[in-house]
Amino acid sequence: MATMFWRYGPKRFGMAIKSKCNTVLDFGSGLGHLVRILNYKYNLSAVGIEMQTQLTEEARKLDLEFEYTAKKHLTDECMTNLVRPTHCNVTLTSLDQLHQISLPKNAKRYGLIGLHPCGDLGPLLIKHFVKSNKVKFICVVGCCYMKLSCNNEPCGYPMSTYVRELDNSLTYVSREIACHAIETYCQKLCRGDYKDLKVHAYRAALEKILVEMDPEFKHMPIRNVKHTNDMSFESYCEAALRHSPLQSLQTKNLEEELKQWKRVVVLYTLRLMIAPLVETVILLDRLLYILEHGIPCAIYPVFDPKISPRNHIIVGIKS
Ligand SMILES: C[S@@+](CC[C@H](N)C(=O)[O-])C[C@H]1O[C@@H](n2cnc3c(N)ncnc32)[C@H](O)[C@@H]1O
């Protein structure tokens, strides 16, 4: 994905040059692939911020592995001059916290990037861009809109005064469907691979069982399962709940409901039709928020949506 980000968005990284920033902060950097490319390949001093300790440690290991291989091909001088990434293990929740992050010494001005920062992390990135004089540009591709806090602090939606004044709201269900992959689903529908679409009926049945067990399990994150035509519901549940503390589920008595999986396909298809609209509303709200602060910005499709369905980048640059 990080490679694709570069391939589809070279002009966007021209923004670091345009805004004379040699430092970039990546919010929600995961395994640090993008940070690694920006440092080692493009000589930017990129700092990754990631809340999961395991991913941060893995990112540091991957840097060492990269350098181990690079050493076989580069001169000692090149190795000494490599610009090395920094990976910080921090959970970002407020703007104040951002002042405490140690940046490279020469970072008087810097840019912000976020490749699929989940939920409120995207809005936090945008607020930091708007409010800090040191931040000169932003490139952010959102995701996981269902995790946004809505109409309550820190308020990931709505952000703009314009949308706030419309007094509207987006439900969890609508924000969740906005994160689905419409392009690949359409392909399956067009090919007539309906049986592959049974997975949504399985997911709905599993949700029903979980909520009956404990209402607190509503919307509980479960593993994505690659569904095959002949997969049984029991095998699906086992795969979906692997690594979760829930083991033995009562999956009986659902045969009649599961036979109606085609109705779920119809319902899901209808719901998916409005998904791009919901995503557009969320992205335009973010864009308006930046524009309301007098900063030019734009949205572009940056990836192939069949590979990465959340493919719109918001870019903004301060003059
Ligand atoms: C969808 S992943 C994207 C990872 C990476 N940018 C990539 O493209 O491979 C989002 C990442 O953001 C991290 N994250 C989410 N909320 C965060 C927060 N508040 N502070 C720091 N990291 C966060 C998650 O742990 C996760 O690794």
Side-chain angles (χ1 to χ4, degrees):
M1 185 60 62
T3 323
M4 202 160 80
F5 194 69
W6 173 256
R7 186 146 50 87
Y8 282 85
K11 282 192 224 114
R12 265 45 100 189
F13 282 108
M15 291 177 72
I17 300 168
K18 226 179 184 177
S19 57
K20 301 188 183 70
C21 294
N22 61 0
T23 302
V24 174
L25 251 63
D26 182 5
F27 280 37
S29 49
L31 288 169
H33 297 311
L34 186 52
V35 167
R36 210 166 292 113
I37 288 178
L38 293 176
N39 277 274
Y40 290 125
K41 187 166 180 193
Y42 296 102
N43 292 329
L44 283 169
S45 182
V47 178
I49 304 173
E50 171 54 51
M51 65 186 239
Q52 294 186 53
T53 313
Q54 195 196 341
L55 295 186
T56 310
E57 283 169 3
E58 200 62 34
R60 290 178 187 139
K61 266 193 220 153
L62 287 168
D63 290 354
L64 294 179
E65 279 174 28
F66 171 80
E67 291 202 23
Y68 178 80
T69 309
K71 218 173 167 180
K72 295 180 187 163
H73 304 278
L74 299 180
T75 61
D76 287 350
E77 195 190 346
C78 285
M79 286 304 293
T80 314
N81 291 336
L82 284 179
V83 184
R84 290 179 165 86
T86 309
H87 303 281
C88 303
N89 183 215
V90 177
T91 303
L92 290 171
T93 49
S94 72
L95 289 177
D96 293 343
Q97 232 180 332
L98 287 158
H99 302 301
Q100 286 151 26
I101 288 178
S102 55
L103 293 174
K105 283 197 188 73
N106 57 350
K108 301 262 181 308
R109 43 199 292 141
Y110 57 94
L112 299 181
I113 55 174
L115 183 50
H116 299 140
C118 328
D120 286 334
L121 189 59
L124 185 72
L125 183 87
I126 293 171
K127 285 176 194 168
H128 186 46
F129 167 61
V130 161
K131 296 196 171 154
S132 167
N133 290 333
K134 287 186 180 172
V135 182
K136 300 300 173 191
F137 76 87
I138 188 171
C139 298
V140 56
V141 184
C143 86
C144 300
Y145 305 126
M146 64 284 191
K147 294 186 192 163
L148 286 172
S149 55
C150 290
N151 297 314
N152 58 324
E153 286 310 313
C155 203
Y157 176 88
M159 295 183 74
S160 67
T161 308
Y162 180 83
V163 179
R164 271 172 203 254
E165 285 176 2
L166 295 177
D167 195 20
N168 76 103
S169 62
L170 291 174
T171 61
Y172 175 93
V173 174
S174 65
R175 286 179 280 121
E176 200 270 338
I177 194 80
C179 297
H180 286 225
I182 190 165
E183 284 79 8
T184 41
Y185 193 82
C186 285
Q187 272 184 332
K188 285 182 183 166
L189 279 182
C190 292
R191 281 200 304 260
D193 295 341
Y194 300 125
K195 288 197 175 149
D196 277 355
L197 306 176
K198 233 187 222 177
V199 70
H200 297 291
Y202 281 4
R203 176 68 183 90
L206 176 57
E207 179 81 8
K208 188 176 169 189
I209 296 175
L210 292 174
V211 173
E212 275 169 7
M213 279 170 71
D214 184 343
E216 291 280 310
F217 291 156
K218 191 173 179 188
H219 302 150
M220 170 182 146
I222 59 165
R223 286 183 68 218
N224 265 338
V225 178
K226 202 159 171 47
H227 178 260
T228 51
N229 192 359
D230 51 5
M231 180 181 246
S232 70
F233 179 55
E234 285 72 20
S235 322
Y236 167 82
C237 292
E238 200 189 302
L241 297 176
R242 203 167 290 149
H243 307 309
S244 97
L246 297 169
Q247 291 305 329
S248 57
L249 284 188
Q250 174 56 261
T251 56
K252 304 277 178 269
N253 308 326
L254 283 166
E255 284 84 6
E256 281 314 305
E257 286 169 9
L258 287 171
K259 271 186 203 157
Q260 304 201 37
W261 64 268
K262 281 189 188 162
R263 295 179 67 188
V264 178
V265 172
V266 172
L267 178 70
Y268 185 81
T269 305
L270 290 171
R271 289 181 61 215
L272 207 55
M273 278 167 66
I274 60 151
L277 183 64
V278 178
E279 183 170 31
T280 304
V281 167
I282 293 170
L283 295 182
L284 285 182
D285 170 53
R286 293 177 179 186
L287 197 79
L288 280 171
Y289 173 80
I290 301 175
L291 289 171
E292 282 170 359
H293 287 82
I295 305 167
C297 58
I299 301 183
Y300 303 98
V302 72
F303 306 133
D304 177 349
K306 292 194 190 82
I307 299 172
S308 180
R310 309 279 69 74
N311 73 328
H312 281 89
I313 189 166
I314 295 183
V315 292
I317 188 159
K318 293 177 186 165
S319 48

